[in-house]
């Protein structure tokens, strides 16, 4: 019994799926000396192993022989003709009857039995090949289903050399090239004997060369006994070798009897007997000339290439390849992935022809869309061998694993020195403290160690946090001393070898105060030592702030530092018997103290805001009342300004324009009529109308100035209230920050703290001195609100344009008013 070594997963599933219509079978030529030590067929009769050639040629004794593994759809050895037929053809015929095309390719080395498979032995009914059996089968089907289907058959039989095609059904010699291929005849046959007769006649027209290669004799072979008894009486019997490719085509035309339409099912079945492939000088093809051998080899290799292109489905290349080979060209409408393709490879399994056998098997794999795999095999005769095999396998797996871990530097994991672990821990701490931006690692072991450090710190924090939840203000030992964490990492390293002790030890929580003090001390000591190590600069004085510090510093420092320090001093007490600290030490301790605070679980911004409002610690309500009041004033003033005073200003301006126009007109009239009278002083004497107009203009200007002043006053007032409003709002924001810093030890980001106030929009332009522009921004924001409301309205765009236009006009009017008032003032001065 033969066992194959563990099969590795392949990547060829995709190709296999693509070619599910193609099946490959192999038929082994019975020979007296088959080299079974080099070629194995598994019991499933589907897998063939061929020994690795380099090993055969090598003289050394290989313990675990390597084989190429070829998967097939069936292997025939010592099988009768009917067994071969029954396995391959009936299933194919089912598809052909349904309307699909089918091709049976017989390929193989010269003299390996292709013709035997296709046509069989002429005078032996039992040994007839696929073609006669198929013909019988088809006519049988026709008779069987004559009440349901009308069937008729057409036959073509050709022989293809490299460039030309011969019609074997015609008595006269024909020679068609690629352009005249359609002239190949096809004849209707109404009964089986006629068709068989025509086929056998055509067989006789094939080009042959006499060969003497067959010297097989296998006692057990059923077929061989028949063959030998009838044809092979001596061991070197000559046989006729075909030098060209032949294609027999049966066109099956069928129609349902109840179908009155003209629709007919039209399918073809080709049986291709490829010219034998071989190597020049090889025994089986001794009688063939080079050109004849080349025809066989070329047909095989071109078919191989074509199939590769077909599998990949590249249309342009398919067309090109079809043109290259006349045989492929002839089969073109049938030779595609949707046709049912059956390949029967013929192999001669002896040492001399192992190479060409391998080539045939490879061709078969290509057809199936597979690459041959190299595997090992064992002969499992006894338990001892099996154990040896498994031990070998185990050794191999272990070796593979070692190589893998070596490639990934995994082997370093348990061998990292204490210095390296310490170094990595320092790196991790530096990273957490924002002293470095990245951690440089060189192996997987480094990464694992660093992750371990993070994990330890996190666990520590978690356990301390849960302990501290009940004990008032939260204070975390965010960054334990390097010495302590080094200890933990080291202890974990040793724990890998010992037991799960370190985990338990991690869970054992120390008193928080003690831990914090320890951390502070150790970190301070480290900082000092670092600083003193570097000549010329005292690093101890400069400790960069961590990411947490940045967060903590959001709150206003002046107000908070004092409160905090008093609170902290309650928590952080000097441990008894501690060494006397230097001023630098205490300074660092102070800085580190800041960094030692981590926020509790942060509340949501809305929760924070709510608790801020509820606490009323920072006179929120009072401030809010003031803000509301300012908001009311702003709204009132704005309404008065926009709806009253500006309109009034506009009316006055129009009226003044009218008066001025009238006055101008009167003056012109006087000049034109020539009634200009002058008094003694030489001044023009004005008419009564002119005097009245003058007065009106004068009064109008007075009113306009007053009105403008009123407008300016309102603008100033508006600005004032806006300023107050913003100040109060800012104060609330600051109070909120202080509140968060106090309560959560960090800032809480909240975007819309005063979203309940409509006047918030004024703050958009709080730095702008011109209230008119503030007004404009208000209008813009209002517009935006309207936009939202009318987002789905079709008239929205029009309204928006209208509003923009009106706003523009209003602003322009205001600008003109101001300019005019200014000029009036100048005139009056
Ligand atoms: N399975 C078999 N059992 C017994 N005899 C066989 C078998 N296969 C082939 N033969 C014999 O081997 C000889 C060569 O066979 P065949 O002509 O079919 O080979 P072929 O591959 O068509 O050769 P060629 O390529 O030269 O045309 C024939 O005499 C045939 O009877």
């Amino acid at each position: 019994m033969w066992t194959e070594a563990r099969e590795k997963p392949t990547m060829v599933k995709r190709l296999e799926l693509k070619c599910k219509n193609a099946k490959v079978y192999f038929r082994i030529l019975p020979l007296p000396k088959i080299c079974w030590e080099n070629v194995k067929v598994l019991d499933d009769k589907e897998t063939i192993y061929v020994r690795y050639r380099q090993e055969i040629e090598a003289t050394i004794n290989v313990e675990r022989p390597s084989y190429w593994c070829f998967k097939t759809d069936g292997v025939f050895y010592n099988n009768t003709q009917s067994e071969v037929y029954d396995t391959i053809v009936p299933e194919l015929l089912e598809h052909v009857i349904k309307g699909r095309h089918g091709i049976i390719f017989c390929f193989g080395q010269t003299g390996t039995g292709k013709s035997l498979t296709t046509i069989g032995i002429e005078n032996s009914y039992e040994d007839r090949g696929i073609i006669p059996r198929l013909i019988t089968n088809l006519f049988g089907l026709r008779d069987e289903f004559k009440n349901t289907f009308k069937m008729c058959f057409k036959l073509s039989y050709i022989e293809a050399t490299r460039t030309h095609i011969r019609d074997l059904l015609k008595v006269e010699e024909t020679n068609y090239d690629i352009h005249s291929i359609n002239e190949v005849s096809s004849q209707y046959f109404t009964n089986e004997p006629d068709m068989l007769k025509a086929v056998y006649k055509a067989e006789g027209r094939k080009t042959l060369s006499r060969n003497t290669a067959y010297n097989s004799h296998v006692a057990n072979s059923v077929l061989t006994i028949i063959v030998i008894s009838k044809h092979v009486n001596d061991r070197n019997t000559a046989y006729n070798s075909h030098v060209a490719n032949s294609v027999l085509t049966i066109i099956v035309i069928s129609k349902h009897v109840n179908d009155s339409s003209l629709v007919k099912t039209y399918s073809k079945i080709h049986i291709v007997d490829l010219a034998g492939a071989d190597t020049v000088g090889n025994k089986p093809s001794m009688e063939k000339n080079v050109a004849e051998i080349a025809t066989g080899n070329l047909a095989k290799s071109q078919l191989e290439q074509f199939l590769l292109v077909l599998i990949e489905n590249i249309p342009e290349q398919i067309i090109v390849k079809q043109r290259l080979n006349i045989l492929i060209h002839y089969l073109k409408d049938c030779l595609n992935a949707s046709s049912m393709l059956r390949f029967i490879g013929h192999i001669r399994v002896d040492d001399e022809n192992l190479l060409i056998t391998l080539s045939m098997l490879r061709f078969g794999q290509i057809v199936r869309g597979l690459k041959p795999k190299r595997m090992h095999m064992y002969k499992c005769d006894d338990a001892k061998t099996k154990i040896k095999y498994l031990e070998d396998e185990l050794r191999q797996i272990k070796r593979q694993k070692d190589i893998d871990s070596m490639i990934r530097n995994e082997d370093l994991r348990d061998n990292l020195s204490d210095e390296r672990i310490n170094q990595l821990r320092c790196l991790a701490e530096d990273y957490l403290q924002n002293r470095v931006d990245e951690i440089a690692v060189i192996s997987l072991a480094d990464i694992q160690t660093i992750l371990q450090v993070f994990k330890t710190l996190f666990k520590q924090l978690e356990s301390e946090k849960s302990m501290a939840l009940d004990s008032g203000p939260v204070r975390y030992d965010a960054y334990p001393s390097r010495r302590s964490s080094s200890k933990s990492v080291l202890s974990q390293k040793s724990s890998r070898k010992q037991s799960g002790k370190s985990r338990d030890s991690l869970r054992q929580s120390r008193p928080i105060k003690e831990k914090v003090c320890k951390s502070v001390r150790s970190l301070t000591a480290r900082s000092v030592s670092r600083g003193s190590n570097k000549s010329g600069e005292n690093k101890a004085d400069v400790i960069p702030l961590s990411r947490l510090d940045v967060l903590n510093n959001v709150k206003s420092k002046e107000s908070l530092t004092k409160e905090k320090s008093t609170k902290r001093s309650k928590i952080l007490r000097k441990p008894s018997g501690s060494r006397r600290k230097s001023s630098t030490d205490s300074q660092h301790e102070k800085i580190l103290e800041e960094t030692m605070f981590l926020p509790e679980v942060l509340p949501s911004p809305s929760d924070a805001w709510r608790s801020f409002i509820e606490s009323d610690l920072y006179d929120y309500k009072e401030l809010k009342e003031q803000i509301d009041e300012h908001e009311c004033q702003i709204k009132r003033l704005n309404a008065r300004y926009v709806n009253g005073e500006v309109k009034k200003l506009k009316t006055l301006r129009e009226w003044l324009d009218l008066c001025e126009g009238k006055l101008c007109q009167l003056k012109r009239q006087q000049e034109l009529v020539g009634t200009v009278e002058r008094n003694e002083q030489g001044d023009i004497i004005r008419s009564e109308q002119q005097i009245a107009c003058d007065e009106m203009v004068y009064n109008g200007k007075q009113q306009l100035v007053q009105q403008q002043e009123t407008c300016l006053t309102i603008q100033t007032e508006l600005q004032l209230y806006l300023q107050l409003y913003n100040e109060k709002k800012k104060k609330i924001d600051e109070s909120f920050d202080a509140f968060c810093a106090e309560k959560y030890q960090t800032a809480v980001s909240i975007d819309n703290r005063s979203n309940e106030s409509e006047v918030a929009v004024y703050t958009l332009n709080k730095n702008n001195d011109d209230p008119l522009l503030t007004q404009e921004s208000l209008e813009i924001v209002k517009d935006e609100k309207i936009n939202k409301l009318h987002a789905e309205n079709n008239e929205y765009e029009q309204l928006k344009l209208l509003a923009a236009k009106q706003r523009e006009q209003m602003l322009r009017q205001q600008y003109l008013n101001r300019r005019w008032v200014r000029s009036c003032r100048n005139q009056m001065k």
Side-chain angles (χ1 to χ4, degrees):
M1 184 201 150
W2 286 88
T3 310
E4 62 184 48
R6 201 164 38 87
E7 204 175 305
K8 284 175 193 156
T10 56
M11 301 281 282
V12 289
K13 210 80 199 143
R14 185 177 61 90
L15 288 171
E16 232 176 333
L17 286 172
K18 272 188 185 178
C19 304
K20 59 188 174 202
N21 289 339
K23 285 188 179 174
V24 182
Y25 302 89
F26 277 92
R27 194 170 190 187
I28 301 171
L29 179 73
L31 290 171
K33 276 186 189 171
I34 288 192
C35 52
W36 289 123
E37 63 280 8
N38 293 333
V39 178
K40 319 259 173 232
V41 180
L42 282 199
D43 293 341
D44 61 2
K45 295 266 175 173
E46 285 187 355
T47 319
I48 305 178
Y49 286 90
V50 180
R51 184 81 191 274
Y52 205 52
R53 262 192 67 236
Q54 279 84 343
E55 283 182 12
I56 301 171
E57 283 159 15
T59 45
I60 47 159
N61 190 23
V62 184
E63 242 183 61
R64 297 176 65 218
S66 306
Y67 287 83
W68 287 112
C69 170
F70 299 95
K71 294 276 177 194
T72 69
D73 293 285
V75 180
F76 304 109
Y77 177 65
N78 281 348
N79 289 95
T80 59
Q81 293 282 74
S82 71
E83 281 169 350
V84 175
Y85 181 85
D86 291 343
T87 314
I88 301 169
V89 188
E91 181 243 337
L92 175 79
L93 209 58
E94 263 180 44
H95 295 284
V96 174
I97 295 292
K98 283 176 193 162
R100 289 180 87 165
H101 298 308
I103 312 181
I104 300 171
F105 285 96
C106 285
F107 66 96
Q109 198 185 350
T110 304
T112 45
K114 296 181 293 297
S115 308
L116 184 90
T117 306
T118 50
I119 195 77
I121 296 166
E122 219 172 289
N123 301 319
S124 165
Y125 180 76
E126 236 176 290
D127 296 330
R128 70 197 191 282
I130 287 175
I131 294 172
R133 281 170 197 272
L134 176 71
I135 292 169
T136 315
N137 208 341
L138 279 173
F139 281 101
L141 281 171
R142 187 194 66 173
D143 297 340
E144 196 182 331
F145 298 104
K146 65 180 173 203
N147 298 329
T148 329
F149 285 100
K150 272 185 189 169
M151 262 194 244
C152 60
F153 309 109
K154 269 171 110 178
L155 178 81
S156 307
Y157 206 170
I158 60 120
E159 190 180 62
T161 58
R162 269 185 288 171
T163 49
H164 283 82
I165 277 181
R166 242 181 90 205
D167 193 338
L168 293 175
L169 289 183
K170 287 186 180 164
V171 184
E172 69 275 9
E173 198 63 31
T174 49
N175 207 11
Y176 303 119
D177 65 0
I178 209 159
H179 305 291
S180 52
I181 226 166
N182 293 336
E183 288 174 32
V184 172
S185 68
S186 59
Q187 296 173 15
Y188 276 106
F189 288 92
T190 49
N191 58 59
E192 186 191 338
D194 285 352
M195 195 185 257
L196 280 173
K197 234 184 265 173
V199 168
Y200 282 114
K201 274 185 189 166
E203 273 295 317
R205 292 183 195 117
K206 279 187 179 175
T207 320
L208 302 168
S209 86
R210 197 159 175 78
N211 219 334
T212 55
Y214 187 69
N215 58 355
S216 68
H217 175 82
V218 179
N220 297 335
S221 163
V222 181
L223 181 82
T224 318
I225 291 165
I226 304 160
V227 172
I228 288 167
S229 62
K230 287 173 183 163
H231 303 276
V232 195
N233 291 321
D234 63 68
R235 290 181 64 150
N236 281 310
T237 306
Y239 81 99
N240 293 320
S241 176
H242 298 118
V243 292
N245 311 295
S246 65
V247 186
L248 176 129
T249 309
I250 298 174
I251 303 160
V252 182
I253 305 155
S254 63
K255 189 176 176 279
H256 202 282
V257 283
N258 296 334
D259 191 355
S260 56
S261 70
L262 294 170
V263 181
K264 288 175 187 167
T265 313
Y266 187 90
S267 52
K268 284 181 188 173
I269 179 160
H270 296 286
I271 295 157
V272 186
D273 182 359
L274 287 178
D278 218 325
T279 319
V280 181
N282 213 6
K283 244 190 196 170
S285 49
M286 283 298 262
E287 298 302 313
K288 280 187 172 178
N289 63 34
V290 178
E292 285 164 354
I293 294 171
T295 307
N297 291 343
L298 199 72
K300 181 185 153 262
S301 68
Q302 283 186 339
L303 188 64
E304 191 176 314
Q305 283 176 23
F306 182 76
L307 288 167
L308 281 172
V309 173
L310 206 64
I311 288 167
E312 288 305 321
N313 197 16
I314 314 165
E316 309 85 50
Q317 282 198 33
I318 289 174
I319 294 163
V320 173
K321 299 272 177 200
Q322 269 173 353
R323 287 202 192 114
L324 284 177
N325 184 286
I326 197 158
L327 177 69
I328 296 169
H329 194 78
Y330 180 73
L331 298 170
K332 65 181 172 189
D333 58 333
C334 296
L335 189 55
N336 61 50
S338 62
S339 295
M340 309 307 291
L341 309 176
R342 300 290 178 267
F343 290 79
I344 312 172
H346 294 77
I347 47 174
R348 184 193 294 267
V349 181
D350 56 8
D351 286 337
E352 288 163 41
N353 298 291
L354 210 57
L355 206 63
I356 196 137
T357 299
L358 263 172
S359 143
M360 294 303 155
L361 287 164
R362 278 180 206 280
F363 175 70
Q365 294 304 101
I366 287 170
V367 172
R368 296 187 96 225
L370 298 170
K371 275 185 187 165
K373 288 172 284 177
R374 195 181 157 187
M375 328 189 67
H376 299 291
M377 280 180 81
Y378 282 91
K379 199 174 182 190
C380 300
D381 288 336
D382 51 1
K384 216 174 170 185
T385 326
K386 269 186 192 169
I387 291 168
K388 194 175 176 295
Y389 159 71
L390 289 171
E391 275 173 357
D392 274 3
E393 193 79 341
L394 200 69
R395 211 174 305 126
Q396 210 189 348
I397 291 167
K398 269 185 188 164
R399 199 163 159 262
Q400 192 63 47
K401 199 178 153 251
D402 286 351
I403 293 169
D404 279 359
S405 73
M406 221 164 72
I407 289 166
R408 287 185 283 160
N409 281 333
E410 245 178 19
D411 55 325
L412 290 175
R413 194 174 52 188
D414 291 335
N415 302 322
L416 275 191
S417 65
D418 289 352
E419 286 74 36
R420 180 63 182 156
I421 292 176
N422 215 23
Q423 193 186 13
L424 287 168
R425 191 180 42 72
C426 290
L427 266 173
E429 275 180 22
D430 283 346
Y431 180 75
L432 287 172
Q433 296 262 29
N434 241 6
R435 280 192 281 265
V436 292
D437 287 336
E438 53 192 39
I439 305 172
V441 288
I442 52 171
S443 71
L444 199 73
D446 283 0
I447 297 169
Q448 279 171 339
T449 311
I450 281 168
L451 285 174
Q452 198 61 52
V453 172
F454 285 157
K455 209 170 165 183
T456 315
L457 288 173
F458 180 75
K459 273 185 185 171
Q460 241 168 300
L461 282 171
E462 282 289 295
S463 62
E464 283 161 18
K465 193 181 152 195
S466 60
M467 274 179 58
L469 273 176
D470 307 325
S471 55
V474 186
R475 183 93 197 269
Y476 303 116
D477 185 2
Y479 303 107
S481 75
R482 288 186 172 181
R483 207 176 305 147
S484 66
S485 54
S486 152
K487 208 175 168 186
S488 65
V489 173
L490 286 171
S491 69
Q492 279 183 23
K493 189 190 159 195
S494 61
S495 76
R496 281 202 292 267
K497 289 166 192 167
Q498 294 166 11
S499 65
K501 248 183 182 181
S502 67
R503 266 188 206 170
D504 300 338
S505 69
L506 267 175
R507 279 189 202 122
Q508 284 168 11
S509 48
R510 293 170 294 164
I512 300 169
K513 288 177 214 165
E514 194 190 311
K515 239 191 272 180
V516 170
C517 291
K518 206 176 167 190
S519 325
V520 168
R521 272 202 313 279
S522 65
L523 277 170
T524 312
R526 185 166 52 76
S527 308
V528 172
S529 69
R530 270 192 170 196
S532 57
N533 282 346
K534 296 218 171 184
S535 59
E537 70 179 87
N538 188 359
K539 272 241 172 178
D541 291 342
V542 192
I543 293 183
L545 295 175
S546 75
R547 286 169 184 146
L548 293 165
D549 295 320
V550 177
L551 280 175
N552 284 335
N553 285 343
V554 174
K555 60 207 164 194
S556 63
K557 280 177 186 166
E558 303 82 34
S559 60
L560 286 171
T561 320
K562 278 179 196 171
E563 291 170 40
K564 270 182 153 187
S565 57
T566 43
K567 282 185 184 176
R568 276 171 201 151
S569 62
K570 285 176 200 166
I571 306 160
L572 184 77
R573 280 193 208 107
K574 229 199 261 180
S576 60
S578 65
R579 66 181 172 87
R580 220 181 134 203
K581 281 185 263 175
S582 66
S583 64
T584 335
D585 276 6
S586 58
Q587 199 186 342
H588 285 304
E589 206 161 289
K590 208 174 166 189
I591 295 164
L592 286 163
E593 199 184 318
E594 296 266 342
T595 68
M596 285 299 112
F597 280 84
L598 271 178
E600 219 175 331
V601 177
L602 279 179
S604 73
S606 55
D607 284 349
W609 183 248
R610 206 175 304 121
S611 50
F612 166 67
I613 292 170
E614 279 162 11
S615 71
D616 201 29
L617 280 174
Y618 296 87
D619 306 326
Y620 169 77
K621 278 182 188 156
E622 200 183 310
L623 285 168
K624 182 78 176 74
E625 273 168 21
Q626 286 172 6
I627 282 179
D628 289 346
E629 203 181 305
H630 296 329
E631 195 179 324
C632 272
Q633 290 290 355
I634 290 164
K635 279 182 183 169
R636 187 183 56 76
L637 283 171
N638 190 56
R640 193 182 142 198
Y641 181 78
V642 177
N643 300 328
E645 303 307 332
V646 172
K647 277 184 186 166
K648 231 189 230 176
L649 199 71
K650 197 180 166 190
T651 326
L652 272 174
R653 169 93 182 99
E654 280 167 6
W655 183 72
L656 202 63
D657 278 349
L658 267 174
C659 292
E660 276 183 333
K662 181 80 185 159
L663 193 65
C664 200
Q665 207 179 355
L666 286 172
K667 275 182 187 168
R668 290 256 172 83
Q669 247 179 4
Q670 209 177 20
E671 280 168 13
L672 283 168
V673 177
T675 53
V676 179
E677 289 176 20
R678 294 181 185 273
N679 60 13
E680 290 159 358
Q681 284 84 31
D683 295 334
I684 294 166
I685 299 167
R686 294 179 296 171
S687 67
E688 280 180 9
Q689 271 183 324
Q690 271 181 345
I691 292 166
C693 266
D694 266 346
E695 250 175 54
M696 270 157 63
V697 168
Y698 181 77
N699 288 336
K701 281 181 181 175
Q702 289 277 10
Q703 281 176 20
L704 201 66
V705 171
Q706 271 176 15
Q707 186 56 33
Q708 185 61 30
E709 267 168 10
T710 317
C711 284
L712 286 172
T713 317
I714 295 172
Q715 280 179 16
T716 321
E717 248 182 285
L718 197 63
Q719 206 172 10
L720 191 76
Y721 278 117
L722 269 171
Q723 208 176 331
L724 285 169
Y725 173 86
N726 287 329
E727 274 170 16
K728 299 280 159 38
K729 224 178 136 280
K730 200 177 163 195
K731 212 169 173 186
I732 286 189
D733 287 353
E734 282 172 1
S735 305
F736 177 67
D737 285 339
F739 171 80
C740 290
E742 175 69 21
K743 192 168 179 190
Y744 309 113
Q745 280 83 45
T746 186
V748 175
S749 150
I750 183 162
D751 297 334
N752 204 6
R753 297 170 189 196
S754 314
N755 52 356
E756 67 270 22
S757 165
E758 280 180 27
V759 188
V761 296
Y762 286 89
T763 56
L764 287 173
N765 278 322
K766 60 186 172 188
N767 295 328
N768 203 321
D769 291 329
D770 192 350
L772 278 171
L773 290 180
T774 308
Q775 174 61 33
E776 187 190 16
S777 74
L778 176 68
E779 289 295 328
I780 290 164
V781 178
K782 274 184 183 170
D783 265 6
E784 278 171 5
K785 283 183 180 176
I786 292 163
N787 290 351
K788 272 183 193 165
L789 288 169
H790 292 86
E792 285 166 21
N793 195 332
N794 291 335
E795 290 164 17
Y796 160 70
E797 284 298 329
Q798 286 176 6
L799 282 171
K800 196 179 157 191
L801 278 173
L802 208 69
K805 212 172 166 187
Q806 279 176 357
R807 194 165 57 243
E808 209 174 281
Q809 276 176 0
M810 196 188 83
L811 286 169
R812 169 104 191 121
Q813 195 63 49
Q814 283 170 352
Y815 168 75
L816 288 171
N817 282 343
R818 290 172 85 188
R819 221 172 59 172
W820 187 80
V821 168
R822 233 174 267 142
S823 70
C824 283
R825 265 195 197 146
N826 291 340
Q827 276 178 21
M828 281 168 77
K829 275 177 196 168

